[in-house]
């Protein structure tokens, strides 16, 4: 069997030729690829690099920052500012957007969560980087927050790196989803998961069950039915997972199906939920839909949410299409009956 693996760079060049691109997107991805490799190295060093533990600071979300949160943010900012393609960036770790000075022809905006799930870092559980690419709006003269407040349907690309038992980069540019595994011996991402597709049905759900007392009735109904198993209304047994790392949950769902829920509940309702729209929910929703799944707030498509604030939060239900549709239906029945 002749050796047929291709690198991520070759894949991007193939896509560029197929789509008649100019090469600017390939350039956009080159710096992201470098940044993810560098973060992977820092994460994989673990305690050896002295980068574990708390940074002694909080981010704009009021969340305790890990040393690696700050280092990953600096790596992602620095590496992606060098190519000149981005006019500006926004990060979970930074209160305000950052113009990229010197990017005279920067036509794109980069939004990212540099190290999602970092509460898992010190206990060696998978974490990841999530990124989203938007076009700079026509005629935008300054790089202000307003330029980033675009619906998720406007993304031109989205992806994540997962730093787990292997480091992978999963990417969509709107023509399906493809996964690449980092060959540490040569430092290249190799295409290993072409055309990732989510099964429409599942027997696995993910939710932080310790929040059950706060859930709205439709979420409670859905989870109770899953827990009732084959003897219950679903007529089949379900399994539950909760990693507390969205990248790990989404990756599992892309590989074998499932449904992930972080709904708004009585405790987080005032904030709009837990997960951030622009650099967590939107990129993951783009990926999930491109893989044949669905991504909903419970009351509407995530990619259709019109952003009003950079760090706004949104309820998230995503994964196997038939399960997300069922849960959205439960919300509609509940709302109709109120
Ligand atoms: P909880 C990580 O902080 C994160 O933003 C997601 O990656 C993850 O799914 C969720 O929060 C975990 O939240 O409340 O279980 O700690």
């Amino acid at each position: 069997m002749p050796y047929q693996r291709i690198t991520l760079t070759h894949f991007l060049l193939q896509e560029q030729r197929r789509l008649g691109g100019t090469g600017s997107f390939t350039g956009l991805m080159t710096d992201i690829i470098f940044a993810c490799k560098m973060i992977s190295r820092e994460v994989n060093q673990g305690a050896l690099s002295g980068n574990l533990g708390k940074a002694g600071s909080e981010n704009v979300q009021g969340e305790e920052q890990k040393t690696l949160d700050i280092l990953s943010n600096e790596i992602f900012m620095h590496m992606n500012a060098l190519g000149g393609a981005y006019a500006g960036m926004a990060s979970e770790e930074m209160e305000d957007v950052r113009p990229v000075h010197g990017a005279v022809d920067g036509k794109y905006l980069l939004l990212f969560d540099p190290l999602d799930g970092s509460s898992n870092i010190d206990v060696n559980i998978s974490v990841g980087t999530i990124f989203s690419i938007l076009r700079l709006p026509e005629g935008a003269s300054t790089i202000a927050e307003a330029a980033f407040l675009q619906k998720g349907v406007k993304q031109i690309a989205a992806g994540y790196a997962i730093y787990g038992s292997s480091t992978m980069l999963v990417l969509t540019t709107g023509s399906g989803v493809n996964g690449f595994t980092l060959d540490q011996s040569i430092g290249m991402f190799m295409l290993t998961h072409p055309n990732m597709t989510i099964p429409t049905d599942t027997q696995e759900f993910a939710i932080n069950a310790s929040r059950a007392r706060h859930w709205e009735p439709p979420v409670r109904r859905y989870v109770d039915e899953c827990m009732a198993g084959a003897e219950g209304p679903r007529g089949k047994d379900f399994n539950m997972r909760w990693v507390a790392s969205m990248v790990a949950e989404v990756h599992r769902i892309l590989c074998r199906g499932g449904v992930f829920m972080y709904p708004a509940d009585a405790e987080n309702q005032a904030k709009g939920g837990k997960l951030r729209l622009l650099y967590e929910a939107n990129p993951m929703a783009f990926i999930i839909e491109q893989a044949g799944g669905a991504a909903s707030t419970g009351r509407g498509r995530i990619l259709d949410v019109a952003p009003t604030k950079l760090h706004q939060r949104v309820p998230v239900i995503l994964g196997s299409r038939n399960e997300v549709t069922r849960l959205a239906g439960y919300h509609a029945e509940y709302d109709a009956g109120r």
Side-chain angles (χ1 to χ4, degrees):
M1 178 76 167
Y3 186 81
Q4 291 186 318
R5 283 216 188 286
I6 65 167
T7 68
L8 173 48
T9 303
H10 287 128
F11 175 86
L12 291 169
L13 290 171
Q14 281 178 355
E15 283 293 280
Q16 177 184 309
R17 283 194 292 273
R18 183 173 73 85
L19 300 170
T22 61
S24 59
F25 182 70
T26 304
L28 285 180
M29 279 305 303
T30 302
D31 292 337
I32 287 178
I33 293 166
F34 275 128
C36 290
K37 288 182 197 174
M38 293 166 74
I39 295 171
S40 171
R41 181 208 171 273
E42 295 303 333
V43 168
N44 291 338
Q45 281 291 94
L48 296 174
S49 62
N51 285 330
L52 295 186
K54 300 169 186 168
S57 54
E58 278 190 355
N59 63 15
V60 63
Q61 327 284 342
E63 294 164 342
E64 179 184 82
Q65 286 180 305
K66 300 285 188 180
T67 304
L68 272 177
D69 278 321
I70 295 175
L71 178 57
S72 302
N73 189 60
E74 288 170 358
I75 289 172
F76 218 77
M77 285 278 294
H78 173 69
M79 291 308 294
N80 285 293
L82 298 174
Y86 296 113
M89 299 186 195
S91 164
E92 180 192 54
E93 299 302 332
M94 302 185 306
E95 181 153 8
D96 302 314
V97 302
R98 292 286 174 83
V100 177
H101 299 300
V104 288
D105 59 349
K107 300 184 183 67
Y108 301 94
L109 302 173
L110 179 62
L111 303 91
F112 55 92
D113 178 356
L115 204 62
D116 176 68
S118 56
S119 61
N120 289 311
I121 273 282
D122 295 354
V123 295
N124 204 7
I125 291 174
S126 299
V127 293
T129 299
I130 307 171
F131 60 88
S132 169
I133 302 177
L134 295 169
R135 280 192 181 77
L136 182 64
E138 283 296 318
S141 53
T142 57
I143 305 304
E145 180 169 319
F148 291 77
L149 302 183
Q150 301 179 40
K151 288 183 179 180
V153 288
K154 294 288 202 181
Q155 294 174 99
I156 64 161
Y160 63 81
I162 179 167
Y163 313 115
S165 47
S166 64
T167 288
M168 284 190 66
L169 194 146
V170 172
L171 174 69
T172 185
T173 59
S175 305
V177 178
N178 292 282
F180 304 82
T181 302
L182 181 61
D183 182 334
Q184 306 274 6
S185 64
I186 58 172
M188 303 293 279
F189 280 104
M190 308 302 286
L191 178 62
T192 51
H193 295 63
N195 191 29
M196 299 181 85
T197 305
I198 300 173
T200 52
D201 294 295
T202 185
Q203 291 180 245
E204 194 162 67
F205 69 95
I207 193 167
N208 181 343
S210 71
R211 303 186 63 85
R213 66 190 180 284
H214 302 306
W215 293 340
E216 285 193 275
V219 174
R220 152 67 64 220
R221 173 185 173 192
Y222 178 82
V223 174
D224 284 349
E225 288 180 356
C226 290
M227 303 284 271
E231 297 73 42
R234 298 301 308 275
K236 59 183 180 179
D237 291 340
F238 279 76
N239 204 351
M240 197 193 100
R241 289 284 182 276
W242 190 251
V243 186
S245 175
M246 187 185 193
V247 171
E249 315 277 8
V250 167
H251 191 70
R252 185 189 60 248
I253 288 169
L254 273 175
C255 292
R256 69 185 192 207
V259 59
F260 167 84
M261 296 164 274
Y262 213 115
D265 59 34
E267 190 268 339
N268 67 31
Q269 185 75 43
K271 291 186 290 186
K274 160 111 193 224
L275 302 178
R276 277 58 56 145
L277 173 62
L278 290 178
Y279 40 79
E280 288 177 327
N282 271 345
M284 291 310 207
F286 188 16
I287 292 165
I288 291 288
E289 287 197 2
Q290 282 292 311
S296 169
T297 63
R299 294 180 168 92
R301 187 183 179 215
I302 286 177
L303 294 182
D304 289 334
V305 173
T308 55
K309 289 185 295 180
L310 186 63
H311 297 291
Q312 79 182 63
R313 299 166 189 260
V314 69
V316 175
I317 297 166
L318 56 76
S320 293
R321 179 166 290 280
N322 290 348
E323 293 302 313
V324 175
T325 302
R326 172 185 290 269
L327 191 39
Y330 289 1
H331 280 79
E333 282 176 41
Y334 170 70
D335 292 345
R338 284 204 293 193

